Amino acid sequence: PTFIEAAKVMGEQLAKEKNSQDGIIHMYRKLTARTPDKKELELLTALQAKELSKFKAAPQKTRGWLTAGQYIIDKSLDPAAVAANAVVASVILNSDAALTKR
């Protein structure tokens, strides 16, 4: 639940950005301390678009992403966009670039 809630908060922050690609870059830098390369950015942007289409087609699927944890998202934001962005954040959080290996 903690990682899903963290992804939800990051998804909400990205939904407030005017330019989603810049928002993805900013999120990636927050979570990995580096800028995504061109291919990573393309993959994350494509993932965001795919997930947004999926959540717009089936709004009930946003529930799992938006209700985890105690943090309540801004109701004025598009739930499909927040959920899609949360998926992107989750992918970054679970990537090798964000994980510390010891």
Side-chain angles (χ1 to χ4, degrees):
T2 302
F3 278 94
I4 293 174
E5 187 167 23
K8 175 175 70 171
V9 172
M10 298 294 292
E12 180 186 59
Q13 290 174 358
L14 179 53
K16 292 178 179 178
E17 294 278 340
K18 294 197 184 315
N19 180 316
S20 64
Q21 192 170 35
D22 288 345
I24 290 172
I25 292 168
H26 185 71
M27 180 191 312
Y28 195 93
R29 289 194 66 197
K30 276 185 182 178
L31 298 173
T32 67
R34 72 175 181 83
T35 303
D37 64 31
K38 183 180 177 186
K39 184 65 175 173
E40 290 167 330
L41 185 56
E42 287 173 1
L43 289 170
L44 292 170
T45 302
L47 173 64
Q48 181 190 39
K50 179 181 176 185
E51 292 297 314
L52 183 58
S53 294
K54 179 178 84 174
F55 287 125
K56 285 210 180 268
Q60 73 279 9
K61 292 187 179 202
T62 65
R63 184 166 164 69
W65 285 101
L66 303 182
T67 59
Q70 297 178 6
Y71 184 80
I72 299 171
I73 64 161
D74 182 344
K75 301 285 187 202
S76 69
L77 298 172
D78 177 10
V82 175
N85 295 336
V87 172
V88 173
S90 180
V91 167
I92 297 169
L93 276 168
N94 288 293
S95 71
D96 286 344
L99 297 175
T100 303
K101 297 179 183 179
R102 295 176 189 223

